Amino acid sequence: MTSNSELREMSDEQLEATAAEAAADLFRLRFQSQSERLNTPSDIRKNRRLIARVKTIQTERSKAANNTPAEA
C-alpha cells in the first residue's frame, strides 16, 4: 500500500505509471469478480482509492503550476 507521503514524493511519470498499473489491476479484479470469487474483495476498493489519490495529487500539482506567475 502506498501512503500519501510516498505518492507526493514521486515524480509525475511515476504517478502516471502507478495510476496506470492500479487501473489495470482494477480492471482485472472487476473482471475476476464477475467470473469467479475474489480472495480479497477489498482490493477493488483499495485500487479505486489509490487511483483517486494519484489523480488528486496530479490535480494539485497542475493547479500549483498554473497559479505560478510567469517570469518575463
Side-chain angles (χ1 to χ4, degrees):
M1 187 67 174
T2 310
S3 68
N4 287 341
S5 59
E6 291 174 355
L7 288 173
R8 292 187 189 282
E9 292 174 359
M10 289 183 178
S11 68
D12 292 336
E13 293 82 20
Q14 290 173 325
L15 283 175
E16 286 287 333
T18 301
E21 181 180 333
D25 286 343
L26 181 61
F27 177 78
R28 182 184 53 77
L29 286 169
R30 283 183 175 164
F31 194 85
Q32 186 179 5
S33 72
Q34 294 300 315
S35 61
E36 62 187 67
R37 201 171 173 164
L38 292 176
N39 294 334
T40 51
S42 63
D43 284 345
I44 292 176
R45 182 182 307 139
K46 289 177 184 177
N47 277 303
R48 278 192 359 236
R49 289 182 178 179
L50 176 60
I51 293 168
R53 280 198 302 269
V54 168
K55 287 184 178 184
T56 300
I57 292 171
Q58 289 174 331
T59 301
E60 288 173 353
R61 287 183 182 180
S62 68
K63 284 184 178 181
N66 289 338
N67 290 338
T68 308
E71 301 200 16

